[in-house]
PDB file of all heavy atoms in Angstrom:
ATOM      1  N   PRO A  70    -134.297 -61.186-121.542  1.00  0.00           N
ATOM      2  CA  PRO A  70    -134.768 -61.820-122.748  1.00  0.00           C
ATOM      3  C   PRO A  70    -135.527 -60.933-123.689  1.00  0.00           C
ATOM      4  O   PRO A  70    -135.469 -61.053-124.873  1.00  0.00           O
ATOM      5  CB  PRO A  70    -135.622 -62.974-122.199  1.00  0.00           C
ATOM      6  CG  PRO A  70    -135.114 -63.301-120.891  1.00  0.00           C
ATOM      7  CD  PRO A  70    -134.629 -61.921-120.332  1.00  0.00           C
ATOM      8  N   THR A  71    -136.234 -59.924-123.162  1.00  0.00           N
ATOM      9  CA  THR A  71    -136.947 -59.002-124.037  1.00  0.00           C
ATOM     10  C   THR A  71    -135.998 -58.247-124.900  1.00  0.00           C
ATOM     11  O   THR A  71    -136.262 -58.068-126.112  1.00  0.00           O
ATOM     12  CB  THR A  71    -137.835 -58.020-123.210  1.00  0.00           C
ATOM     13  OG1 THR A  71    -137.008 -57.468-122.209  1.00  0.00           O
ATOM     14  CG2 THR A  71    -138.992 -58.720-122.553  1.00  0.00           C
ATOM     15  N   GLN A  72    -134.869 -57.845-124.359  1.00  0.00           N
ATOM     16  CA  GLN A  72    -133.858 -57.069-125.114  1.00  0.00           C
ATOM     17  C   GLN A  72    -133.163 -57.990-126.131  1.00  0.00           C
ATOM     18  O   GLN A  72    -132.973 -57.604-127.285  1.00  0.00           O
ATOM     19  CB  GLN A  72    -132.861 -56.438-124.198  1.00  0.00           C
ATOM     20  CG  GLN A  72    -131.802 -55.567-124.958  1.00  0.00           C
ATOM     21  CD  GLN A  72    -132.470 -54.399-125.660  1.00  0.00           C
ATOM     22  OE1 GLN A  72    -133.068 -53.582-125.044  1.00  0.00           O
ATOM     23  NE2 GLN A  72    -132.357 -54.364-127.021  1.00  0.00           N
ATOM     24  N   VAL A  73    -132.816 -59.201-125.696  1.00  0.00           N
ATOM     25  CA  VAL A  73    -132.159 -60.149-126.589  1.00  0.00           C
ATOM     26  C   VAL A  73    -133.090 -60.482-127.761  1.00  0.00           C
ATOM     27  O   VAL A  73    -132.626 -60.553-128.926  1.00  0.00           O
ATOM     28  CB  VAL A  73    -131.709 -61.408-125.828  1.00  0.00           C
ATOM     29  CG1 VAL A  73    -131.165 -62.497-126.790  1.00  0.00           C
ATOM     30  CG2 VAL A  73    -130.695 -61.101-124.771  1.00  0.00           C
ATOM     31  N   ALA A  74    -134.367 -60.681-127.467  1.00  0.00           N
ATOM     32  CA  ALA A  74    -135.310 -61.032-128.522  1.00  0.00           C
ATOM     33  C   ALA A  74    -135.419 -59.911-129.555  1.00  0.00           C
ATOM     34  O   ALA A  74    -135.429 -60.115-130.746  1.00  0.00           O
ATOM     35  CB  ALA A  74    -136.697 -61.278-127.939  1.00  0.00           C
ATOM     36  N   GLU A  75    -135.390 -58.682-129.063  1.00  0.00           N
ATOM     37  CA  GLU A  75    -135.449 -57.512-129.978  1.00  0.00           C
ATOM     38  C   GLU A  75    -134.158 -57.486-130.832  1.00  0.00           C
ATOM     39  O   GLU A  75    -134.250 -57.325-132.048  1.00  0.00           O
ATOM     40  CB  GLU A  75    -135.549 -56.202-129.211  1.00  0.00           C
ATOM     41  CG  GLU A  75    -135.616 -54.983-130.074  1.00  0.00           C
ATOM     42  CD  GLU A  75    -135.722 -53.687-129.266  1.00  0.00           C
ATOM     43  OE1 GLU A  75    -136.269 -53.702-128.215  1.00  0.00           O
ATOM     44  OE2 GLU A  75    -135.192 -52.663-129.777  1.00  0.00           O
ATOM     45  N   TRP A  76    -133.012 -57.622-130.245  1.00  0.00           N
ATOM     46  CA  TRP A  76    -131.752 -57.638-131.015  1.00  0.00           C
ATOM     47  C   TRP A  76    -131.668 -58.752-132.036  1.00  0.00           C
ATOM     48  O   TRP A  76    -131.172 -58.590-133.081  1.00  0.00           O
ATOM     49  CB  TRP A  76    -130.544 -57.733-130.059  1.00  0.00           C
ATOM     50  CG  TRP A  76    -130.283 -56.516-129.191  1.00  0.00           C
ATOM     51  CD1 TRP A  76    -130.779 -55.274-129.365  1.00  0.00           C
ATOM     52  CD2 TRP A  76    -129.474 -56.450-128.045  1.00  0.00           C
ATOM     53  NE1 TRP A  76    -130.332 -54.448-128.387  1.00  0.00           N
ATOM     54  CE2 TRP A  76    -129.511 -55.170-127.530  1.00  0.00           C
ATOM     55  CE3 TRP A  76    -128.711 -57.402-127.348  1.00  0.00           C
ATOM     56  CZ2 TRP A  76    -128.821 -54.768-126.450  1.00  0.00           C
ATOM     57  CZ3 TRP A  76    -128.050 -57.018-126.215  1.00  0.00           C
ATOM     58  CH2 TRP A  76    -128.039 -55.674-125.776  1.00  0.00           C
ATOM     59  N   ALA A  77    -132.214 -59.908-131.654  1.00  0.00           N
ATOM     60  CA  ALA A  77    -132.163 -61.112-132.520  1.00  0.00           C
ATOM     61  C   ALA A  77    -133.244 -61.126-133.538  1.00  0.00           C
ATOM     62  O   ALA A  77    -133.243 -61.951-134.458  1.00  0.00           O
ATOM     63  CB  ALA A  77    -132.202 -62.392-131.678  1.00  0.00           C
ATOM     64  N   GLY A  78    -134.267 -60.297-133.364  1.00  0.00           N
ATOM     65  CA  GLY A  78    -135.373 -60.264-134.310  1.00  0.00           C
ATOM     66  C   GLY A  78    -136.380 -61.449-134.040  1.00  0.00           C
ATOM     67  O   GLY A  78    -137.025 -61.867-134.965  1.00  0.00           O
ATOM     68  N   HIS A  79    -136.456 -61.831-132.814  1.00  0.00           N
ATOM     69  CA  HIS A  79    -137.386 -62.897-132.380  1.00  0.00           C
ATOM     70  C   HIS A  79    -138.466 -62.286-131.448  1.00  0.00           C
ATOM     71  O   HIS A  79    -138.295 -61.281-130.879  1.00  0.00           O
ATOM     72  CB  HIS A  79    -136.681 -63.929-131.500  1.00  0.00           C
ATOM     73  CG  HIS A  79    -135.716 -64.816-132.197  1.00  0.00           C
ATOM     74  ND1 HIS A  79    -135.999 -65.598-133.272  1.00  0.00           N
ATOM     75  CD2 HIS A  79    -134.445 -65.070-131.951  1.00  0.00           C
ATOM     76  CE1 HIS A  79    -134.971 -66.308-133.686  1.00  0.00           C
ATOM     77  NE2 HIS A  79    -133.965 -66.026-132.855  1.00  0.00           N
ATOM     78  N   SER A  80    -139.552 -63.065-131.323  1.00  0.00           N
ATOM     79  CA  SER A  80    -140.422 -62.791-130.174  1.00  0.00           C
ATOM     80  C   SER A  80    -139.780 -63.444-128.961  1.00  0.00           C
ATOM     81  O   SER A  80    -138.898 -64.316-129.100  1.00  0.00           O
ATOM     82  CB  SER A  80    -141.804 -63.409-130.441  1.00  0.00           C
ATOM     83  OG  SER A  80    -141.699 -64.855-130.425  1.00  0.00           O
ATOM     84  N   VAL A  81    -140.200 -63.021-127.809  1.00  0.00           N
ATOM     85  CA  VAL A  81    -139.637 -63.565-126.555  1.00  0.00           C
ATOM     86  C   VAL A  81    -139.996 -65.119-126.529  1.00  0.00           C
ATOM     87  O   VAL A  81    -139.164 -65.917-126.114  1.00  0.00           O
ATOM     88  CB  VAL A  81    -140.185 -62.903-125.301  1.00  0.00           C
ATOM     89  CG1 VAL A  81    -139.721 -63.557-124.085  1.00  0.00           C
ATOM     90  CG2 VAL A  81    -139.647 -61.451-125.283  1.00  0.00           C
ATOM     91  N   GLU A  82    -141.213 -65.447-126.941  1.00  0.00           N
ATOM     92  CA  GLU A  82    -141.637 -66.826-126.968  1.00  0.00           C
ATOM     93  C   GLU A  82    -140.699 -67.651-127.806  1.00  0.00           C
ATOM     94  O   GLU A  82    -140.228 -68.780-127.373  1.00  0.00           O
ATOM     95  CB  GLU A  82    -143.080 -66.951-127.540  1.00  0.00           C
ATOM     96  CG  GLU A  82    -143.565 -68.348-127.596  1.00  0.00           C
ATOM     97  CD  GLU A  82    -144.961 -68.390-128.230  1.00  0.00           C
ATOM     98  OE1 GLU A  82    -145.474 -67.406-128.712  1.00  0.00           O
ATOM     99  OE2 GLU A  82    -145.498 -69.528-128.231  1.00  0.00           O
ATOM    100  N   VAL A  83    -140.371 -67.228-129.021  1.00  0.00           N
ATOM    101  CA  VAL A  83    -139.489 -67.986-129.908  1.00  0.00           C
ATOM    102  C   VAL A  83    -138.097 -68.037-129.352  1.00  0.00           C
ATOM    103  O   VAL A  83    -137.431 -69.083-129.313  1.00  0.00           O
ATOM    104  CB  VAL A  83    -139.488 -67.374-131.304  1.00  0.00           C
ATOM    105  CG1 VAL A  83    -138.395 -67.977-132.236  1.00  0.00           C
ATOM    106  CG2 VAL A  83    -140.844 -67.589-131.995  1.00  0.00           C
ATOM    107  N   LEU A  84    -137.628 -66.899-128.806  1.00  0.00           N
ATOM    108  CA  LEU A  84    -136.276 -66.886-128.221  1.00  0.00           C
ATOM    109  C   LEU A  84    -136.145 -67.875-127.092  1.00  0.00           C
ATOM    110  O   LEU A  84    -135.164 -68.690-127.091  1.00  0.00           O
ATOM    111  CB  LEU A  84    -136.045 -65.477-127.638  1.00  0.00           C
ATOM    112  CG  LEU A  84    -134.686 -65.344-126.944  1.00  0.00           C
ATOM    113  CD1 LEU A  84    -133.592 -64.949-127.910  1.00  0.00           C
ATOM    114  CD2 LEU A  84    -134.754 -64.375-125.801  1.00  0.00           C
ATOM    115  N   LEU A  85    -137.088 -67.947-126.151  1.00  0.00           N
ATOM    116  CA  LEU A  85    -137.021 -68.890-125.033  1.00  0.00           C
ATOM    117  C   LEU A  85    -137.141 -70.299-125.486  1.00  0.00           C
ATOM    118  O   LEU A  85    -136.551 -71.252-124.933  1.00  0.00           O
ATOM    119  CB  LEU A  85    -138.007 -68.514-123.973  1.00  0.00           C
ATOM    120  CG  LEU A  85    -137.728 -67.180-123.269  1.00  0.00           C
ATOM    121  CD1 LEU A  85    -138.790 -66.859-122.264  1.00  0.00           C
ATOM    122  CD2 LEU A  85    -136.342 -67.145-122.658  1.00  0.00           C
ATOM    123  N   LYS A  86    -137.964 -70.558-126.571  1.00  0.00           N
ATOM    124  CA  LYS A  86    -138.150 -71.926-127.037  1.00  0.00           C
ATOM    125  C   LYS A  86    -136.835 -72.430-127.671  1.00  0.00           C
ATOM    126  O   LYS A  86    -136.455 -73.592-127.415  1.00  0.00           O
ATOM    127  CB  LYS A  86    -139.216 -71.966-128.155  1.00  0.00           C
ATOM    128  CG  LYS A  86    -139.533 -73.303-128.677  1.00  0.00           C
ATOM    129  CD  LYS A  86    -140.665 -73.182-129.688  1.00  0.00           C
ATOM    130  CE  LYS A  86    -140.947 -74.605-130.261  1.00  0.00           C
ATOM    131  NZ  LYS A  86    -142.013 -74.548-131.265  1.00  0.00           N
ATOM    132  N   ILE A  87    -136.117 -71.560-128.329  1.00  0.00           N
ATOM    133  CA  ILE A  87    -134.867 -72.000-128.998  1.00  0.00           C
ATOM    134  C   ILE A  87    -133.715 -71.990-128.003  1.00  0.00           C
ATOM    135  O   ILE A  87    -132.842 -72.909-128.046  1.00  0.00           O
ATOM    136  CB  ILE A  87    -134.539 -71.049-130.215  1.00  0.00           C
ATOM    137  CG1 ILE A  87    -135.609 -71.220-131.247  1.00  0.00           C
ATOM    138  CG2 ILE A  87    -133.149 -71.356-130.775  1.00  0.00           C
ATOM    139  CD1 ILE A  87    -135.519 -70.145-132.349  1.00  0.00           C
ATOM    140  N   TYR A  88    -133.599 -70.956-127.166  1.00  0.00           N
ATOM    141  CA  TYR A  88    -132.417 -70.779-126.334  1.00  0.00           C
ATOM    142  C   TYR A  88    -132.552 -71.100-124.876  1.00  0.00           C
ATOM    143  O   TYR A  88    -131.682 -70.814-124.087  1.00  0.00           O
ATOM    144  CB  TYR A  88    -131.947 -69.338-126.486  1.00  0.00           C
ATOM    145  CG  TYR A  88    -131.421 -69.034-127.884  1.00  0.00           C
ATOM    146  CD1 TYR A  88    -132.264 -68.457-128.833  1.00  0.00           C
ATOM    147  CD2 TYR A  88    -130.147 -69.333-128.265  1.00  0.00           C
ATOM    148  CE1 TYR A  88    -131.856 -68.201-130.115  1.00  0.00           C
ATOM    149  CE2 TYR A  88    -129.707 -69.059-129.566  1.00  0.00           C
ATOM    150  CZ  TYR A  88    -130.562 -68.482-130.470  1.00  0.00           C
ATOM    151  OH  TYR A  88    -130.127 -68.243-131.738  1.00  0.00           O
ATOM    152  N   ALA A  89    -133.690 -71.682-124.470  1.00  0.00           N
ATOM    153  CA  ALA A  89    -133.925 -72.023-123.027  1.00  0.00           C
ATOM    154  C   ALA A  89    -132.774 -72.882-122.482  1.00  0.00           C
ATOM    155  O   ALA A  89    -132.310 -72.696-121.347  1.00  0.00           O
ATOM    156  CB  ALA A  89    -135.228 -72.667-122.864  1.00  0.00           C
ATOM    157  N   LYS A  90    -132.266 -73.730-123.311  1.00  0.00           N
ATOM    158  CA  LYS A  90    -131.173 -74.652-122.821  1.00  0.00           C
ATOM    159  C   LYS A  90    -129.915 -73.875-122.564  1.00  0.00           C
ATOM    160  O   LYS A  90    -129.015 -74.361-121.799  1.00  0.00           O
ATOM    161  CB  LYS A  90    -130.913 -75.784-123.846  1.00  0.00           C
ATOM    162  CG  LYS A  90    -130.462 -75.236-125.209  1.00  0.00           C
ATOM    163  CD  LYS A  90    -130.340 -76.393-126.209  1.00  0.00           C
ATOM    164  CE  LYS A  90    -130.111 -75.909-127.600  1.00  0.00           C
ATOM    165  NZ  LYS A  90    -131.328 -75.491-128.282  1.00  0.00           N
ATOM    166  N   CYS A  91    -129.800 -72.685-123.047  1.00  0.00           N
ATOM    167  CA  CYS A  91    -128.574 -71.877-122.824  1.00  0.00           C
ATOM    168  C   CYS A  91    -128.591 -71.230-121.430  1.00  0.00           C
ATOM    169  O   CYS A  91    -127.608 -70.623-121.044  1.00  0.00           O
ATOM    170  CB  CYS A  91    -128.439 -70.766-123.927  1.00  0.00           C
ATOM    171  SG  CYS A  91    -128.248 -71.479-125.529  1.00  0.00           S
ATOM    172  N   LEU A  92    -129.760 -71.215-120.817  1.00  0.00           N
ATOM    173  CA  LEU A  92    -129.894 -70.497-119.558  1.00  0.00           C
ATOM    174  C   LEU A  92    -129.587 -71.335-118.349  1.00  0.00           C
ATOM    175  O   LEU A  92    -129.781 -70.938-117.197  1.00  0.00           O
ATOM    176  CB  LEU A  92    -131.324 -69.945-119.442  1.00  0.00           C
ATOM    177  CG  LEU A  92    -131.696 -68.911-120.519  1.00  0.00           C
ATOM    178  CD1 LEU A  92    -133.200 -68.585-120.373  1.00  0.00           C
ATOM    179  CD2 LEU A  92    -130.846 -67.669-120.375  1.00  0.00           C
ATOM    180  N   ASP A  93    -129.082 -72.486-118.538  1.00  0.00           N
ATOM    181  CA  ASP A  93    -128.747 -73.407-117.462  1.00  0.00           C
ATOM    182  C   ASP A  93    -127.653 -72.831-116.586  1.00  0.00           C
ATOM    183  O   ASP A  93    -126.704 -72.253-117.021  1.00  0.00           O
ATOM    184  CB  ASP A  93    -128.300 -74.755-118.040  1.00  0.00           C
ATOM    185  CG  ASP A  93    -128.110 -75.825-116.974  1.00  0.00           C
ATOM    186  OD1 ASP A  93    -128.873 -75.813-115.984  1.00  0.00           O
ATOM    187  OD2 ASP A  93    -127.163 -76.621-117.133  1.00  0.00           O
ATOM    188  N   GLY A  94    -127.801 -73.078-115.254  1.00  0.00           N
ATOM    189  CA  GLY A  94    -126.720 -72.717-114.316  1.00  0.00           C
ATOM    190  C   GLY A  94    -126.861 -71.284-113.763  1.00  0.00           C
ATOM    191  O   GLY A  94    -125.983 -70.847-113.045  1.00  0.00           O
ATOM    192  N   GLY A  95    -127.878 -70.605-114.040  1.00  0.00           N
ATOM    193  CA  GLY A  95    -128.031 -69.218-113.583  1.00  0.00           C
ATOM    194  C   GLY A  95    -128.760 -69.106-112.241  1.00  0.00           C
ATOM    195  O   GLY A  95    -128.939 -67.986-111.745  1.00  0.00           O
ATOM    196  N   ALA A  96    -129.203 -70.180-111.644  1.00  0.00           N
ATOM    197  CA  ALA A  96    -130.051 -70.129-110.431  1.00  0.00           C
ATOM    198  C   ALA A  96    -129.306 -69.442-109.318  1.00  0.00           C
ATOM    199  O   ALA A  96    -129.925 -68.627-108.544  1.00  0.00           O
ATOM    200  CB  ALA A  96    -130.514 -71.523-110.029  1.00  0.00           C
ATOM    201  N   VAL A  97    -128.013 -69.757-109.073  1.00  0.00           N
ATOM    202  CA  VAL A  97    -127.302 -69.142-107.980  1.00  0.00           C
ATOM    203  C   VAL A  97    -127.166 -67.640-108.141  1.00  0.00           C
ATOM    204  O   VAL A  97    -127.400 -66.880-107.251  1.00  0.00           O
ATOM    205  CB  VAL A  97    -125.913 -69.851-107.890  1.00  0.00           C
ATOM    206  CG1 VAL A  97    -125.058 -69.089-106.811  1.00  0.00           C
ATOM    207  CG2 VAL A  97    -126.016 -71.276-107.476  1.00  0.00           C
ATOM    208  N   ALA A  98    -126.844 -67.197-109.342  1.00  0.00           N
ATOM    209  CA  ALA A  98    -126.741 -65.779-109.618  1.00  0.00           C
ATOM    210  C   ALA A  98    -128.064 -65.043-109.423  1.00  0.00           C
ATOM    211  O   ALA A  98    -128.118 -63.952-108.871  1.00  0.00           O
ATOM    212  CB  ALA A  98    -126.163 -65.570-111.009  1.00  0.00           C
ATOM    213  N   MET A  99    -129.134 -65.668-109.903  1.00  0.00           N
ATOM    214  CA  MET A  99    -130.458 -65.043-109.733  1.00  0.00           C
ATOM    215  C   MET A  99    -130.850 -64.944-108.273  1.00  0.00           C
ATOM    216  O   MET A  99    -131.386 -63.935-107.891  1.00  0.00           O
ATOM    217  CB  MET A  99    -131.527 -65.833-110.557  1.00  0.00           C
ATOM    218  CG  MET A  99    -131.401 -65.632-112.001  1.00  0.00           C
ATOM    219  SD  MET A  99    -132.733 -66.390-112.957  1.00  0.00           S
ATOM    220  CE  MET A  99    -132.131 -68.060-113.015  1.00  0.00           C
ATOM    221  N   ARG A 100    -130.568 -65.975-107.498  1.00  0.00           N
ATOM    222  CA  ARG A 100    -130.887 -65.951-106.105  1.00  0.00           C
ATOM    223  C   ARG A 100    -130.134 -64.838-105.405  1.00  0.00           C
ATOM    224  O   ARG A 100    -130.684 -64.120-104.598  1.00  0.00           O
ATOM    225  CB  ARG A 100    -130.598 -67.296-105.418  1.00  0.00           C
ATOM    226  CG  ARG A 100    -131.075 -67.343-104.022  1.00  0.00           C
ATOM    227  CD  ARG A 100    -130.851 -68.708-103.347  1.00  0.00           C
ATOM    228  NE  ARG A 100    -131.188 -69.850-104.153  1.00  0.00           N
ATOM    229  CZ  ARG A 100    -130.288 -70.761-104.597  1.00  0.00           C
ATOM    230  NH1 ARG A 100    -129.055 -70.687-104.211  1.00  0.00           N
ATOM    231  NH2 ARG A 100    -130.698 -71.805-105.339  1.00  0.00           N
TER     232      ARG A 100
END
Side-chain angles (χ1 to χ4, degrees):
T71 51
Q72 183 62 60
V73 174
E75 181 181 328
W76 290 344
H79 289 304
S80 67
V81 173
E82 178 184 6
V83 168
L84 177 89
L85 294 177
K86 182 177 180 182
I87 295 170
Y88 294 95
K90 61 185 172 277
C91 298
L92 297 173
D93 187 35
V97 172
M99 285 186 279
R100 187 177 317 117

